[in-house]
Amino acid sequence: MTGPLLKVENLTKHYQLNGGFIKAGPVVRAVEDVSFSVTAGETLCIVGESGCGKSTIARLLMRIVEPTAGRVMVGGTDISSLKAHELRAWRRQMQMVFQDPYSSLNPRLTAAQIITEPVENFERLSRAQRRTLATDLLEKVGMSPEMMHRLPSEFSGGQRQRLGIARALALRPSIIVADEAVSALDVSVQAQILNLLMDLQQELGIALLFISHNLGVVKHIGHRVAVMYLGRIVELAPCEMFFANPSHPYAEALIAAAPIPTPTRVRLQVPVEGEVPSPINPPSGCAFHPRCPLAIEHCRVEVPHLVPMPDGRAVACHVRAPAADGATLPGTVPFDHSAARAE
Ligand code: SF4
């Protein structure tokens, strides 16, 4: 198949909070107008601070929650409009590796039962087939087949995450969504699991959507990176380009704050201050404008959309990536942060 395996178009998720007996509560804008694609053998990393919407994207892709708007195309099929019974066939194609290897495995099942269970949801396996499948999958993730009769409590954190990966591979998916898949593990074990994912991806040609807040991990595993801020992608770039020279002011701030050893480390001229605003009441225009050292008055008014740049990245910023009709910007009057704070 040519073209992207996974294509997401204008994906949006709003949660309506309960406001009381009669009136509707405020709306949480968890994901706003997000678009990206992932091809076979590619790793797209989604990064951002807690609450930026990256895990909601994982849940939307897996249809754990329903989108408010937008489409999710898997191999050319729009899976966001499929009925529950139609989803079964699609679920073979897309699997998930969860953050917590402790709670994502059934404590009462053996390793063999855990990793063969997804296949047995679709077809009956003989005892011999089950044993062969468990042996193959355990070997694939670097574990001894002799461990297949053990319970999850008898494994270390890294081994449990290997089991989670084996379970995700059981249905031979073309796409894996890994949501903070190594953040609960020790640093030395993280490296083993990341290398395992990279080896498996190369061998099986899987498209990997890797969600993480850890830029060091992203630098190690990613081909491209999408930076999210308050539910929107603000920069989408090849990893090498992103880490050497981020374009969006928020991306710069993220890299400047991350403990990644790199000779081309970005040093912010003006530090970013303040907290991430609430997605219930996001700032107008560019949601980053109250914290952005480059903000101009226009940023307070108009939401910037992702604009493709000549170097191959896409950036949502009125200053760093003015739209083609940027001439219509009403000047470049700097945004007055002190006046805004005083309001
Ligand atoms: Fe900063 Fe304006 Fe760019 Fe937003 S659009 S990141 S506020 S310069």
Side-chain angles (χ1 to χ4, degrees):
M1 187 198 141
T2 54
L5 274 179
L6 172 66
K7 192 167 184 208
V8 169
E9 292 176 350
N10 311 110
L11 198 59
T12 298
K13 180 65 187 174
H14 295 168
Y15 291 98
Q16 177 78 59
L17 298 184
N18 196 346
F21 184 52
I22 297 178
K23 63 177 186 170
V27 172
V28 179
R29 297 171 185 278
V31 174
E32 278 283 5
D33 197 19
V34 163
S35 300
F36 60 80
S37 61
V38 195
T39 54
E42 184 189 34
T43 301
L44 173 68
C45 298
I46 300 188
V47 302
E49 292 163 289
S50 297
C52 70
K54 53 191 191 305
S55 289
T56 305
I57 288 183
R59 288 189 205 111
L60 288 166
L61 297 184
M62 300 307 296
R63 289 278 308 260
I64 298 170
V65 293
E66 296 298 321
T68 305
R71 297 200 304 170
V72 177
M73 312 284 289
V74 174
T77 304
D78 179 6
I79 59 128
S80 43
S81 59
L82 295 183
K83 302 269 183 295
H85 67 277
E86 297 169 318
L87 275 174
R88 262 179 74 77
W90 158 81
R91 285 205 187 277
R92 297 190 78 122
Q93 289 215 38
M94 200 160 162
Q95 292 290 306
M96 189 158 178
V97 177
F98 295 91
Q99 172 177 7
D100 187 353
Y102 296 89
S103 61
S104 63
L105 305 178
N106 187 330
R108 283 189 287 273
L109 298 185
T110 64
Q113 288 170 323
I114 286 169
I115 58 184
T116 57
E117 190 186 30
V119 178
E120 296 200 83
N121 286 336
F122 288 89
E123 55 197 88
R124 277 185 89 87
L125 296 178
S126 68
R127 206 182 157 111
Q129 285 174 317
R130 208 176 298 139
R131 192 177 175 82
T132 306
L133 180 62
T135 302
D136 288 351
L137 287 168
L138 284 171
E139 282 177 345
K140 210 169 247 331
V141 296
M143 292 173 76
S144 166
E146 286 166 17
M147 296 174 165
M148 72 168 73
H149 300 299
R150 292 193 196 168
L151 294 170
S153 57
E154 297 172 80
F155 291 107
S156 67
Q159 286 173 325
R160 286 180 216 191
Q161 197 55 302
R162 284 174 191 267
L163 276 185
I165 293 169
R167 181 179 56 185
L169 292 175
L171 288 167
R172 298 178 176 273
S174 50
I175 302 163
I176 288 185
V177 177
D179 185 10
E180 300 281 7
V182 296
S183 58
L185 304 174
D186 289 343
V187 175
S188 59
V189 184
Q190 282 187 5
Q192 293 170 16
I193 298 296
L194 290 176
N195 291 338
L196 171 67
L197 279 171
M198 290 163 79
D199 291 345
L200 291 171
Q201 183 190 41
Q202 214 165 26
E203 182 189 334
L204 306 172
I206 292 167
L208 179 61
L209 187 74
F210 192 88
I211 294 167
S212 179
H213 68 278
N214 185 332
L215 287 182
V217 166
V218 168
K219 191 173 187 198
H220 185 72
I221 197 171
H223 296 122
R224 284 188 302 142
V225 60
V227 183
M228 288 193 70
Y229 187 78
L230 269 190
R232 292 180 186 271
I233 292 180
V234 296
E235 180 161 351
L236 184 56
C239 258
E240 214 168 290
M241 183 187 291
F242 170 73
F243 282 101
N245 180 26
S247 180
H248 193 279
Y250 174 66
E252 270 184 54
L254 266 190
I255 293 184
I260 317 169
T262 161
T264 52
R265 176 101 182 241
V266 176
R267 296 270 173 221
L268 278 185
Q269 298 303 310
V270 185
V272 168
E273 293 177 346
E275 301 285 322
V276 181
S278 165
I280 294 178
N281 187 21
S284 60
C286 173
F288 190 54
H289 85 258
R291 305 172 69 196
C292 180
L294 302 185
I296 54 176
E297 266 304 313
H298 184 68
C299 301
R300 193 171 52 85
V301 181
E302 190 178 324
V303 176
H305 296 286
L306 273 180
V307 175
M309 307 286 282
D311 59 8
R313 72 177 106 203
V315 180
C317 174
H318 294 308
V319 174
R320 289 279 168 82
D325 62 350
T328 61
L329 281 183
T332 52
V333 181
F335 175 69
D336 186 350
H337 290 85
S338 53
R341 273 193 284 270
E343 277 173 11

